[in-house]
Amino acid sequence: IVGMMNLATGRVVGAGAAAGRIELPSGRVVTTASHVTQGDSIWLGIRPEDLKIDVGRGEGLPLGRAVVKSMLDDGLATVVRLELDDALFTTHLLS
């Protein structure tokens, strides 16, 4: 959890050997590569450096479409705040 900035609550609605399916409060279902147990309530944590903005390549495990709420360039990177359903997420783009 140290350094974790992107947290959302969820419930495990599917669990397999290689991946689990997490339902967010909005009803959106996302996939995780973590081992989870069916029916558990969990916190879904995504480090800013692991959250990527997809520009059509389809890489990774999608969370869905988000709205850019703000962008702040600090000279080294651009901090991007995204809103997905009722949750706010942060990621960084190298400047």
Side-chain angles (χ1 to χ4, degrees):
I1 298 291
V2 174
M4 194 66 65
M5 187 177 280
N6 300 310
L7 293 172
T9 59
R11 185 175 56 85
V12 180
V13 294
R21 293 173 43 81
I22 311 301
E23 182 178 35
L24 302 177
S26 66
R28 182 185 306 270
V29 176
V30 298
T31 303
T32 177
S34 300
H35 177 73
V36 292
T37 303
Q38 179 87 22
D40 281 355
S41 292
I42 65 165
W43 283 96
L44 176 67
I46 305 169
R47 293 184 183 280
E49 62 269 20
D50 292 332
L51 184 63
K52 307 296 183 213
I53 296 176
D54 186 353
V55 292
R57 291 187 300 257
E59 299 171 338
L61 302 172
L63 288 176
R65 290 183 179 264
V67 175
V68 175
K69 300 304 280 185
S70 67
M71 296 176 67
L72 176 65
D73 188 349
D74 67 6
L76 182 59
T78 300
V79 178
V80 182
R81 298 280 289 166
L82 305 163
E83 182 177 34
L84 176 68
D85 300 327
D86 292 333
L88 289 175
F89 294 94
T90 300
T91 189
H92 304 104
L93 303 175
L94 296 179
S95 297

